[in-house]
Amino acid sequence: MLAKARGRRYASRMSICYIESPVGRLALEADDGCVTSVRWASAGERAAEEAPNAVLKEATRQLDRYFKRKLHRFDLPLAARGTDHQKRVWAMMREIPFGETATYGGMAMALGSGPRAVGMACGRNPLPIIVPCHRVLGAGGKEGGFSGGRGLPTKRQLLAIEGVVLL
């Protein structure tokens, strides 16, 4: 999944930065001017002394706005590595509007796939939050799973930020 945000170009080199967020400490990684990963940082993981590059500064700004409920759609250049099926699932997740949800089964039908394959692609999403796998639920609005942060409590927290309350 490659994207260029509104014609902007960012410097080409690998970079990482760390941010504190309501769902824990996040590590943001970029390469070739594209965000490649958002992950929960492990204990003791430290930032390099260098300042984050331009795309990571912008990702940090947009994530901060997202957590304050002021940003509903990310506009960042992304480069996620995965299979063609995973990339199709991730592209579909980006189309789920802020504050809304989809189901594994519904996405599977639209993609001509199976719910389990969609769930596996969600679990391998290298860009959680930006590519909102937390918005994908099981049948009947059940939580399903979540591979980031503290698991399901983190999924519930992200959905709550968007005003979605699970029953």
Side-chain angles (χ1 to χ4, degrees):
M1 172 162 55
L2 292 171
K4 189 164 77 170
R6 295 187 193 164
R8 288 177 276 188
R9 300 211 28 109
Y10 295 98
S12 172
R13 84 178 233 236
M14 189 155 167
S15 186
I16 185 169
C17 74
Y18 298 87
I19 64 170
E20 298 301 326
S21 81
V23 294
R25 188 166 181 247
L26 301 173
L28 311 178
E29 298 174 1
D31 194 10
D32 280 335
C34 294
V35 181
T36 57
S37 174
V38 174
R39 61 182 173 76
W40 277 260
S42 58
E45 198 172 330
R46 307 191 99 142
E49 294 298 318
E50 64 188 63
N53 66 19
V55 73
L56 290 181
K57 285 180 185 177
E58 180 60 18
T60 298
R61 186 187 75 76
Q62 289 188 29
L63 282 162
D64 181 59
R65 293 193 48 169
Y66 167 81
F67 288 120
K68 291 176 180 174
R69 298 177 174 99
K70 294 181 178 179
L71 181 90
H72 294 179
R73 185 171 178 85
F74 292 93
D75 181 23
L76 295 165
L78 306 176
R81 291 190 178 128
T83 66
D84 288 342
H85 180 264
Q86 289 168 339
K87 290 177 183 180
R88 288 178 31 227
V89 171
W90 301 336
M92 186 174 269
M93 285 190 297
R94 291 198 69 204
E95 298 305 315
I96 304 168
F98 181 95
E100 295 183 25
T101 61
T103 64
Y104 299 105
M107 289 178 67
M109 284 185 73
L111 291 168
S113 180
R116 191 169 299 215
V118 170
M120 289 179 71
C122 287
R124 289 193 173 95
N125 174 15
L127 294 158
I129 305 170
I130 293 171
V131 175
C133 50
H134 60 277
R135 296 179 188 156
V136 184
L137 304 176
K142 293 183 181 168
E143 294 172 329
F146 192 70
S147 60
R150 298 173 294 124
L152 289 177
T154 300
K155 183 174 189 164
R156 281 186 224 104
Q157 191 175 1
L158 288 167
L159 289 170
I161 286 168
E162 298 185 20
V164 176
V165 180
L166 300 175
L167 302 176

